[in-house]
Amino acid sequence: MREKGTFAIGVLASVFYPVTWLFARRTTRGLENIPREGAALVVLNHPSYIDPIIDAISIHEYGRIPRFFTKHTLWKIPVLGRVLDGAGQIPVFRGTSKAGDSLRGADAALRDGKVVVIYPEGTLTSDPDGWPGAGRTGVARLALANDVPVIPAAKWGTKEILDSRRRRFRPFPPKRVRMLVGEPVDLSAYRDRPVDRELLGEVTEVVMARVRELLKEIRD
């Protein structure tokens, strides 16, 4: 079964699939942990700006259409803004009075049974060796507010294609990119507790620890 897409999804796929075939030799394991139907929150590390393309294609090949948090300024680009809307992407208004709207948009997507992908560090991984640092609590807020599977995942190899911090793009020869998707994180022990800063920090670290474990597995 494949989730029904839109014209905008078709446009993005027609661009992204050739890019990934050209620059990456991908192997993906564990996609069966993402439900074929219904909502899920997929939590990933973020070593390169090319990650959303690689991650989107991997999840789309599996039959689901991922929704990503995307800078709101991209909506100002002619045509692209309409494509992003049609693809159901979630605008992020950082540093503005609308900063909280991104989580509300993600909540709405999850309530509507969609797959939402989140990079909990909120920016590129800063560690020179590529290990994810502390996550922001938005991932915990979404996980606790929505009774949906929280799926940890990790990828390795995209930084070899595009090292965003050094502004180094090396598409050829194609690089090996590995992704490992884990089983849902069991958060049942946290769901009956009052949501406060301590709880949000604990849940965030539980999820991030699992992402790091998966990353270690594919790097070893």
Side-chain angles (χ1 to χ4, degrees), residues 1 17 24 38 73 87 99 119 138-139 156 161 172 192 196 206 208 220:
M1 181 179 295
Y17 270 89
T73 51
Y119 301 113
V139 63
W156 189 245
I161 301 171
F172 303 111
D192 293 332
D196 54 21
V206 165
M208 290 302 297
D220 286 348

Side-chain angles (χ1 to χ4, degrees), residues 136-137 139-144 150 185-187 189-191 193 196-209:
R136 298 186 180 182
T137 59
V139 63
R141 294 179 189 276
L142 288 173
L144 294 170
V150 178
V185 180
D186 183 4
L187 297 177
Y190 302 94
R191 294 196 177 278
R193 289 172 50 183
D196 54 21
R197 181 175 298 183
E198 181 181 359
L199 177 64
L200 293 172
E202 286 183 34
V203 171
T204 301
E205 183 50 35
V206 165
V207 176
M208 290 302 297

Side-chain angles (χ1 to χ4, degrees), residues 12-220:
L12 292 174
S14 69
V15 174
F16 289 167
Y17 270 89
V19 168
T20 60
W21 291 334
L22 191 61
F23 299 156
R25 296 294 177 261
R26 297 179 298 114
T27 56
T28 307
R29 293 186 288 133
L31 281 170
E32 67 276 5
N33 290 311
I34 300 175
R36 286 288 189 177
E37 294 181 301
L41 181 64
V42 179
V43 186
L44 274 152
N45 62 319
H46 192 16
S48 170
Y49 283 137
I50 204 173
D51 293 335
I53 295 176
I54 299 294
D55 300 335
I57 290 301
S58 297
I59 295 172
H60 186 262
E61 284 178 335
Y62 179 65
R64 299 303 308 267
I65 298 172
R67 272 69 180 178
F68 290 84
F69 292 85
T70 307
K71 291 181 179 179
H72 76 282
T73 51
L74 295 180
W75 266 259
K76 298 179 181 180
I77 300 175
V79 180
L80 179 58
R82 295 180 63 183
V83 171
L84 292 172
D85 265 338
Q89 303 309 301
I90 303 164
V92 176
F93 299 88
R94 288 177 181 164
T96 74
S97 60
K98 295 183 178 180
D101 288 355
S102 57
L103 288 184
R104 287 189 283 272
D107 279 325
L110 291 171
R111 288 196 299 270
D112 198 32
K114 309 303 183 184
V115 171
V116 173
V117 176
I118 186 169
Y119 301 113
E121 292 173 278
T123 186
L124 291 175
T125 298
S126 59
D127 180 70
D129 293 325
W131 295 105
R136 298 186 180 182
T137 59
V139 63
R141 294 179 189 276
L142 288 173
L144 294 170
N146 299 275
D147 189 13
V148 302
V150 178
I151 314 291
K155 94 187 75 53
W156 189 245
T158 53
K159 190 176 177 180
E160 296 302 311
I161 301 171
L162 176 61
D163 188 337
S164 304
R165 292 196 178 277
R166 296 184 180 180
R167 299 181 181 180
R168 183 182 299 167
F169 182 47
R170 296 172 295 183
F172 303 111
K175 306 301 188 295
R176 183 185 178 196
V177 176
R178 289 157 282 174
M179 177 184 285
L180 178 59
V181 182
E183 296 181 355
V185 180
D186 183 4
L187 297 177
S188 57
Y190 302 94
R191 294 196 177 278
D192 293 332
R193 289 172 50 183
V195 178
D196 54 21
R197 181 175 298 183
E198 181 181 359
L199 177 64
L200 293 172
E202 286 183 34
V203 171
T204 301
E205 183 50 35
V206 165
V207 176
M208 290 302 297
R210 185 62 184 131
V211 172
R212 294 186 197 103
E213 289 171 3
L214 294 169
L215 181 57
K216 184 178 186 301
E217 185 172 340
I218 57 175
R219 288 181 60 164
D220 286 348

